[in-house]
Amino acid sequence: MQRTPLSLASTLALCCTLAAPAHAQSDVTLYGLIDAGVEHLNHTSAGGGITRMPSIAGSAASRWGLRGSEDLGGGLKTVFTLESGFAPDNGSLQQGGRAFGRQAFVGLSGGWGTVSLGRQYSMLLPGSANTDIFLAQIYGAGAFDTYLAGPRLDNSIAYLGKFSSVTLGALYSLGKDAQTCPGERGRGSECRAWSAVLKYDAPTWGVGTWIDEQRGLDGSRETPATADLSGKKDQRLALSGYTLLGQTKLTANYMQRKNDAALNAYRKSNLWSLGVAHPVTQAITLEAQYYHFDYKDSADGGKMLALRGTYAFSKRTTAYATVGALRNDGNARFSPSVGVSNTALAPVAGQNQTGLMVGLRHAF
């Protein structure tokens, strides 16, 4: 009799079942998402416009991962997540080529919340999840602050709990980035980071606040002429809220940043936004968000309007068209496309830029 080969998901599940003790109830899920599209940017500093297939897609970052849990009894369970990001245009790994650059953590969870250890998201992500419609997408808050598009921290210990309508959490990192600022070298606050979130979600509205603070690298330990940034704070503090009017969602966000390591004119900045999402039909959704960014002591800044329309073929497959129109103030060179600001694809100082992207997303 011919045997049917096992799928990858079945093989993983079988391995985990065989490896688990007989008394334990364990579960492992293979999941992922791929989002690919074509983007056009005008007014690049290299001259003219460019049409490309970006590594960062329009509506969600491409990824695959494993998440699982084991019931330990008494309401306690072990949880873990291993999540890898990849570029759909060429198949390469994202997050600096890490195998599991998006998330890699293990923890214990119960009615009191979850404590976890590893590479994890800053608390700004759960703090902004319900209020910033375009947060980690190609045209969103990351146009003005790339950290907002992927706020992950290495070597971190985190707690997150939800009690009825209240969510609270905190994270502390012993070294925020193993590739550029590893810390863990026994030197005070070098490369340390922490964040916290507190929010309240009612059935039709919600409010919240989060804070994220990081310290820099003491480069003088290897190169004496290099600055010691271990005492410099880079702090972001935000307030946000949303309300539902029928099926229409209205959002508002405000973030203040103080970066001691930046030039004097750029040490303090403000970013606020207003957003709206409306389902026209079960399949069609329209979304818009306006961003305003400025430095406290500089004429440089920017304003951006992001628009998107999506069509859901099913629960897993969606097509979208999204536009980001950004106006630069002063000598700023922001681009609406995340990761492009101040590069050859960005506009020249003070020039405006518009991006358009059409793509397809499938979750599995």
Side-chain angles (χ1 to χ4, degrees):
M1 179 179 3
Q2 185 176 7
R3 294 184 178 181
T4 303
L6 291 173
S7 66
L8 175 58
S10 300
T11 303
L12 289 168
L14 177 60
C15 291
C16 292
T17 300
L18 293 175
H23 65 274
Q25 296 296 319
S26 61
D27 175 66
V28 177
T29 300
L30 171 67
Y31 68 94
L33 180 149
I34 182 167
D35 185 326
V38 176
E39 178 191 41
H40 180 77
L41 290 171
N42 67 1
H43 299 162
T44 69
S45 60
I50 184 173
T51 300
R52 63 177 190 148
M53 185 175 288
S55 297
I56 301 175
S59 65
S62 297
R63 72 200 74 166
W64 76 272
L66 297 168
R67 67 167 66 98
S69 64
E70 180 186 19
D71 187 352
L72 302 176
L76 184 67
K77 62 181 180 179
T78 306
V79 295
F80 78 89
T81 295
L82 296 170
E83 189 172 277
S84 176
F86 63 91
D89 58 329
N90 58 25
S92 62
L93 292 174
Q94 294 278 54
Q95 291 81 46
R98 306 175 195 227
F100 296 104
R102 290 183 60 85
Q103 299 182 81
F105 67 82
V106 65
L108 293 174
S109 181
W112 40 266
T114 300
V115 173
S116 50
L117 301 92
R119 177 169 169 82
Q120 305 174 75
Y121 284 107
S122 162
M123 290 297 156
L124 81 80
L125 188 69
S128 303
N130 285 334
T131 58
D132 197 322
I133 298 169
F134 290 80
L135 178 66
Q137 298 165 29
I138 196 163
Y139 306 138
F144 301 107
D145 184 350
T146 55
Y147 179 64
L148 299 178
R152 303 174 186 90
L153 298 163
D154 293 341
N155 310 303
S156 59
I157 305 165
Y159 166 78
L160 188 64
K162 184 171 183 179
F163 308 94
S164 185
S165 299
V166 176
T167 300
L168 57 91
L171 176 147
Y172 183 79
S173 171
L174 299 167
K176 63 182 183 179
D177 191 323
Q179 294 179 330
T180 61
C181 200
E184 300 184 302
R185 302 196 293 178
R187 179 68 68 88
S189 60
E190 183 184 22
C191 296
R192 299 294 199 261
W194 66 273
S195 61
V197 63
L198 174 63
K199 63 177 185 173
Y200 180 88
D201 292 289
T204 59
W205 60 275
V207 294
T209 182
W210 58 262
I211 185 171
D212 180 291
E213 182 179 296
Q214 303 180 29
R215 300 295 182 97
L217 181 72
D218 181 4
S220 64
R221 299 177 65 178
E222 286 77 25
T223 307
T226 304
D228 176 6
L229 301 179
S230 61
K232 303 290 186 180
K233 295 181 182 180
D234 186 2
Q235 184 186 92
R236 297 167 176 86
L237 175 64
L239 298 171
S240 58
Y242 69 92
T243 185
L244 296 174
L245 301 178
Q247 292 185 309
T248 302
K249 186 175 187 178
L250 304 176
T251 68
N253 301 271
Y254 172 75
M255 186 191 77
Q256 182 182 78
R257 181 182 181 185
K258 297 179 180 179
N259 184 2
D260 295 341
L263 297 175
N264 288 337
Y266 301 129
R267 287 187 177 178
K268 296 182 179 181
S269 62
N270 300 286
L271 175 63
W272 61 265
S273 68
L274 298 173
V276 58
H278 177 70
V280 179
T281 68
Q282 287 188 337
I284 300 173
T285 301
L286 300 179
E287 297 162 301
Q289 191 151 340
Y290 174 77
Y291 294 89
H292 183 283
F293 177 84
D294 66 85
Y295 293 105
K296 182 179 179 181
D297 300 312
S298 172
D300 296 351
K303 305 173 184 66
M304 183 175 71
L305 178 63
L307 303 170
R308 182 173 61 221
T310 62
Y311 180 82
F313 293 101
S314 67
K315 291 183 178 180
R316 294 186 175 187
T317 302
T318 301
Y320 63 86
T322 185
V323 177
L326 193 145
R327 172 184 169 184
N328 279 302
D329 298 326
N331 292 314
R333 295 187 59 216
F334 293 118
S335 167
S337 194
V338 172
V340 171
S341 296
N342 298 310
T343 70
L345 297 184
V348 298
Q351 189 178 44
N352 304 330
Q353 189 174 60
T354 298
L356 168 65
M357 185 169 178
V358 177
L360 183 67
R361 182 181 75 239
H362 176 73
F364 59 90

